[in-house]
Amino acid sequence: RRPTADVGSTPVVAIVAAKNQIVLKHGEIKGQMDAMTMGYTLASPPLAQGLKPGDAVKFRIDGARKEIVAIERLAK
């Protein structure tokens, strides 16, 4: 099982509410995945509330499920 990982200062590319997903462009997540732009399922739909494309966020991902379990908008 891959552990959860914290990733900081990542831009939001898109929010796909109909699929409960957020598209992020992130750097390498050590031991889990290379840098990429990818859609991730949200553990809970309200996690994306108030977020919009272009926002910088930090997030926690469950590496086994490739699911965002926490996300926070960073101050501009």
Side-chain angles (χ1 to χ4, degrees):
R1 176 173 165 88
R2 294 178 175 172
T4 59
D6 293 319
V7 182
S9 195
T10 299
V12 174
V13 175
I15 297 171
V16 187
K19 292 187 175 186
N20 188 37
Q21 289 187 337
I22 189 165
V23 180
L24 302 169
K25 181 178 181 179
H26 62 77
E28 176 187 6
I29 302 174
K30 294 252 186 233
Q32 294 193 31
M33 63 186 76
D34 293 331
M36 65 181 71
T37 299
M38 182 174 165
Y40 294 95
T41 299
L42 298 162
S44 171
L47 288 173
Q49 187 172 357
L51 296 177
K52 62 186 181 309
D55 284 345
V57 297
K58 65 179 182 178
F59 66 96
R60 174 171 285 172
I61 185 169
D62 179 315
R65 294 183 295 176
K66 291 191 174 69
E67 181 176 80
I68 302 293
V69 295
I71 191 165
E72 177 184 342
R73 190 174 81 191
L74 300 173
K76 290 185 177 183

